Amino acid sequence: NSKIWRWNRMTAVIKAIGILLLQIIIYYLFGTIFELFCRKKHGVVFKEISGFLVYQVLFQICALPMIKADQTLARLAVLWGVIVITCCIGTAIFCRERIAEDIAMIIKAFFRHKIWFLLMGCFLFAMCYYVSINGEMNDDSTYYIGLINTTLTSGRLYKFNAYTGEQVHSLYLRRALVTFDINTAVACKIYHIHPLVITRITRASLNMILTAGAVYLIGRNFFQEEKDAFWKAGTFTCIALACNFLFDNTIYTSAAFLLHRAYEGKAYAGNMLLLFTIYLCILYIRQRDKWSCIYLILTLWACIAISSSAIMVTGAACGVLLIPVVFEKLIRRIKRDKNYD
């Protein structure tokens, strides 16, 4: 019995890692097709994060009408599976040249910076391992995993209380637009994996990887004109992520959420989503590019689908960073009008 239990546990872990790798590929393809729509090229890391956001927005658009119509989880899983497969095949066909360019770029960068890739890979693996085995169980996390489990076992969408299992007669208003946990239930249905495994391993590790990507983008933006920007941005990423351990002193810091509750929507809000929003705001301030605004709108929309707290956090970040820019433009316009008069 102990051998069977160990084998099942090892199989579940391998399956969760395989799902993580598959999801990373899917997010890259979604980011590539959205890049084609925007007609502006970005790096692989940027496309990975933007693809995750596009994925969440499209799922929300797909799921909300089915939740309203009281459809089953099985029907939603079939519909979403068809949409994802269609989008991935279409992207592979219509964007094959861009995909080939990205693959060639990654291979070239790997052989040029082997040590960098190995060190970053080991560091990310260690961080993902840490957040996977050190996730704490509290009321919030019990609710989210319970919500996924009740959705999966009952086959109904938002119809049962995650704590008691009793049927609810109305949708909880605060979570009316949040479809992140329903998306995880759909993944459990498609991949036939337990909710606890996919949340503690796949979803937690994904948050860590995307957060590292957002930090790396900020670092590349800071060091873009300097020599060895690749190495400096990587060092900046490692130091920034390691600093989370210095602020893991209360349950209310973003570091505590990332290190112990990385699978929750709030952890995505306080880390990856917030950092990517800051990066996009920096891009807009420096370039005044309309596409940065489009990606900001995409990020804010995805925040609504991921967590009710995320839209408040990212919205506040946008206000703090962009309101001074608006006032600056307004003051310049007033001065220009006075000089004209």
Side-chain angles (χ1 to χ4, degrees):
N1 290 333
S2 61
K3 289 183 178 180
I4 295 174
W5 179 79
R6 289 174 185 171
W7 171 256
N8 291 336
R9 186 177 65 172
M10 184 178 68
T11 304
V13 171
I14 293 173
K15 195 173 185 179
I17 295 173
I19 293 170
L20 173 64
L21 297 176
L22 179 61
Q23 289 294 108
I24 288 173
I25 295 172
I26 292 173
Y27 296 148
Y28 165 76
L29 293 174
F30 271 72
T32 302
I33 195 68
F34 192 74
E35 178 192 70
L36 184 66
F37 167 76
C38 292
R39 299 179 182 178
K40 184 176 180 180
K41 296 190 72 173
H42 292 283
V44 175
V45 177
F46 187 96
K47 283 191 278 193
E48 192 67 47
I49 298 176
S50 63
F52 169 78
L53 301 175
V54 172
Y55 184 94
Q56 299 301 329
V57 168
L58 289 179
F59 182 81
Q60 186 195 51
I61 294 173
C62 175
L64 286 181
M66 299 197 73
I67 294 172
K68 182 68 175 177
D70 195 20
Q71 295 295 318
T72 63
L73 177 66
R75 290 183 180 179
L76 178 58
V78 170
L79 176 62
W80 184 240
V82 170
I83 292 173
V84 170
I85 292 172
T86 304
C87 290
C88 289
I89 293 175
T91 304
I93 294 173
F94 293 107
C95 302
R96 58 185 180 276
E97 293 182 359
R98 295 194 181 196
I99 295 172
E101 289 176 5
D102 287 337
I103 293 174
M105 184 272 295
I106 292 173
I107 294 174
K108 184 179 179 180
F110 177 77
F111 284 107
R112 183 181 296 179
H113 305 283
K114 289 181 183 178
I115 299 176
W116 186 93
F117 274 93
L118 291 174
L119 291 175
M120 283 297 295
C122 292
F123 181 79
L124 277 179
F125 177 80
M127 294 296 290
C128 290
Y129 179 77
Y130 183 87
V131 299
S132 296
I133 66 171
N134 283 284
E136 64 180 35
M137 297 297 291
N138 51 38
D139 287 345
D140 278 354
S141 56
T142 303
Y143 175 84
Y144 300 130
I145 296 174
L147 178 62
I148 298 167
N149 197 42
T150 53
T151 302
L152 186 65
T153 53
S154 67
R156 307 294 294 277
L157 307 174
Y158 280 143
K159 288 297 179 182
F160 294 92
N161 187 296
Y163 290 127
T164 64
E166 297 178 353
Q167 186 172 357
V168 294
H169 301 289
S170 61
L171 188 61
Y172 184 28
L173 183 60
R174 188 180 168 211
R175 300 188 57 80
L177 300 177
V178 177
T179 54
F180 193 44
D181 297 315
I182 298 296
N183 181 250
T184 306
V186 167
C188 292
K189 184 74 174 178
I190 293 174
Y191 299 124
H192 298 283
I193 191 169
H194 195 278
L196 191 60
V197 177
I198 199 171
T199 50
R200 293 289 292 269
I201 298 177
T202 305
R203 217 161 85 165
S205 299
L206 179 65
N207 190 5
M208 179 59 68
I209 293 170
L210 294 179
T211 299
V215 176
Y216 174 79
L217 289 174
I218 295 174
R220 282 304 297 262
N221 193 274
F222 286 157
F223 302 115
Q224 59 183 347
E225 302 298 333
E226 297 185 20
K227 188 179 179 180
D228 297 329
F230 200 71
W231 278 89
K232 291 180 179 179
T235 305
F236 174 78
T237 303
C238 293
I239 293 174
L241 291 179
C243 283
N244 280 289
F245 290 97
L246 299 177
F247 301 98
D248 182 23
N249 49 5
T250 74
I251 63 172
Y252 301 109
T253 61
S254 60
F257 272 97
L258 181 64
L259 296 176
H260 303 292
R261 301 163 66 178
Y263 45 85
E264 294 185 21
K266 294 187 186 74
Y268 278 80
N271 293 279
M272 184 274 291
L273 292 171
L274 178 61
L275 291 169
F276 191 62
T277 301
I278 293 172
Y279 170 73
L280 291 175
C281 290
I282 293 172
L283 277 188
Y284 177 76
I285 292 170
R286 286 189 170 184
Q287 302 174 3
R288 304 297 170 92
D289 187 5
K290 67 176 183 179
W291 297 114
S292 297
C293 290
I294 291 177
Y295 277 104
L296 265 175
I297 293 171
L298 171 69
T299 304
L300 294 174
W301 190 346
C303 287
I304 299 173
I306 294 171
S307 171
S308 55
S309 304
I311 188 63
M312 294 184 286
V313 173
T314 54
C318 286
V320 169
L321 293 170
L322 297 183
I323 287 177
V325 178
V326 174
F327 276 106
E328 181 195 11
K329 291 176 67 175
L330 183 62
I331 291 170
R332 283 185 178 182
R333 182 175 297 178
I334 293 172
K335 288 182 177 179
R336 188 173 62 247
D337 293 340
K338 285 184 177 180
N339 293 333
Y340 180 77
D341 293 337

